């Protein structure tokens, strides 16, 4: 990890503001979803990218019960279950 030297305080609601220069350099647009990851004693913010729960692929996703599954995984699961043509 690389330190940016930027220090921000939380406001009374627990929010922080990411500097515009940092958002621009990382390609983070206004209102972009960020994933919050806890790693030991670190809090990591990551640009959110939905992915297939089985393979991690990001193409052709379908939401099922709040989870993302790619069409390719669905086709492979259908073959395994013996329900394809």
């Amino acid at each position: 990890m690389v330190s940016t030297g930027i220090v921000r305080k939380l406001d009374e609601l627990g929010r922080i503001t990411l500097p515009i220069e940092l958002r621009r350099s990382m390609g983070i647009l206004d209102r972009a979803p960020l994933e919050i990851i806890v790693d030991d004693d670190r809090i990591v913010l990551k640009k959110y990218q939905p992915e297939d729960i089985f393979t991690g692929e990001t193409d052709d996703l379908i939401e099922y019960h709040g989870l993302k599954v790619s069409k390719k995984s669905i086709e492979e699961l259908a073959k395994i279950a013996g329900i394809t043509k």
Side-chain angles (χ1 to χ4, degrees):
M1 285 194 184
V2 177
S3 176
T4 64
I6 300 168
V7 176
R8 294 289 170 108
K9 291 184 179 183
L10 294 176
D11 71 8
E12 59 278 353
L13 296 176
R15 299 175 296 197
I16 60 169
T17 302
L18 299 177
I20 189 74
E21 300 84 13
L22 182 62
R23 288 183 277 141
R24 284 182 181 152
S25 70
M26 299 293 296
I28 300 171
L29 304 174
D30 290 347
R31 304 215 179 264
L34 297 176
E35 186 174 4
I36 302 170
I37 301 165
V38 177
D39 180 22
D40 293 324
D41 64 341
R42 296 180 179 158
I43 299 170
V44 178
L45 298 177
K46 178 181 171 187
K47 288 193 288 186
Y48 176 67
Q49 178 68 39
E51 57 187 36
D52 183 305
I53 61 168
F54 299 109
T55 65
E57 291 183 23
T58 58
D59 296 328
D60 294 325
L61 298 178
I62 296 171
E63 186 166 333
Y64 180 72
H65 290 278
L67 301 171
K68 304 291 184 185
V69 183
S70 69
K71 289 182 181 179
K72 183 178 176 183
S73 288
I74 293 169
E75 290 169 355
E76 289 176 9
L77 289 168
K79 286 179 187 175
I80 292 169
I83 55 174
T84 58
K85 305 180 221 177

